Amino acid sequence: MALASSTLDPHLIDRLRRIRLLALDVDGVLTDGRLYFQADGVEIKAFHTQDGLGLKLLRRAGLQVAFLTGRESPMVSHRAAALGIDHVYQSCEDKLATLRELCTRKGIELEQVAYCGDDLPDLAAIQRAGVGITVPNTPVYIRDMADYVTERSGGHGAVREICDLLLEAQGHRDALIDTYLHGKR
């Protein structure tokens, strides 16, 4: 199949091929950014199922995934556990420092990280990661500093778009599609 990302800058595609870790903000990226509270004060979040499958496919292809969020939420822990994601950082005030520590522990370079965030607390990580990504509903000054802006909004399949882009750039997409076509999962 032809590379759907062929309209992207070849330099960006080359950088996508080197990614070994996808790090994601949660609110505004994995969710639509709105905060929902029940009458008893319990917070709830909605996650997109296609994002979840995309993250599972990335992990199957050998890429690592991390969640970095400034808030503390049991739903984030539950979602990460359901997806088999071990790297979850909540109440994260300095996302770039956390990302650097994770890279050191995992023996990877910051240039091997794709980071997606949607607001000012994410800006340093977006700028310093190997590929900085944001969603279209973020402030324009953040979009202007990102390497890639998803077509889909946060909480509405943006993460799946990123996963598909990485899988395609790294040559994993067709093999993963075949596993679903021929039942070799």
Side-chain angles (χ1 to χ4, degrees):
M1 292 184 157
L3 191 68
S5 57
S6 62
T7 59
L8 296 177
D9 175 358
H11 180 66
L12 178 57
I13 294 170
D14 195 42
R15 289 169 37 213
L16 288 166
R17 288 183 178 132
R18 293 192 296 260
I19 298 302
R20 297 294 163 252
L21 169 69
L22 174 60
L24 303 165
D25 177 34
V26 175
D27 295 316
V29 173
L30 282 161
T31 74
D32 65 10
R34 294 184 288 176
L35 300 175
Y36 300 89
F37 293 93
Q38 298 179 145
D40 60 3
V42 173
E43 181 183 6
I44 56 175
K45 294 184 184 292
F47 297 95
H48 200 292
T49 59
Q50 289 181 354
D51 290 346
L53 180 58
L55 293 170
K56 286 181 179 181
L57 294 174
L58 270 190
R59 292 185 62 249
R60 187 182 300 172
L63 279 80
Q64 298 179 59
V65 177
F67 293 169
L68 286 75
T69 180
R71 297 178 48 79
E72 183 76 32
S73 172
M75 278 70 58
V76 173
S77 299
H78 291 297
R79 186 62 173 151
L83 297 172
I85 296 169
D86 299 324
H87 311 298
V88 181
Y89 302 90
Q90 299 193 61
S91 299
C92 184
E93 292 186 24
D94 187 340
K95 294 181 181 183
L96 179 58
T98 301
L99 198 54
R100 283 183 168 145
E101 290 172 22
L102 177 59
C103 286
T104 298
R105 278 200 331 268
K106 293 311 223 171
I108 62 174
E109 300 295 322
L110 203 51
E111 293 78 29
Q112 295 174 298
V113 175
Y115 181 87
C116 184
D118 73 314
D119 215 335
L120 288 171
D122 304 299
L123 191 54
I126 289 170
Q127 280 214 297
R128 300 225 176 49
V131 178
I133 304 169
T134 195
V135 293
N137 52 316
T138 194
V140 67
Y141 49 87
I142 294 174
R143 285 194 310 264
D144 289 345
M145 294 186 182
D147 298 308
Y148 181 80
V149 179
T150 62
E151 291 181 19
R152 295 180 182 176
S153 295
H156 297 277
V159 171
R160 178 59 175 271
E161 181 181 333
I162 296 164
C163 293
D164 286 348
L165 187 65
L166 285 164
L167 291 166
E168 189 174 5
Q170 295 188 10
H172 299 294
R173 187 193 63 189
D174 291 345
L176 289 168
I177 290 172
D178 283 345
T179 65
Y180 282 86
L181 286 174
H182 304 293
K184 300 175 188 172
R185 286 184 257 166

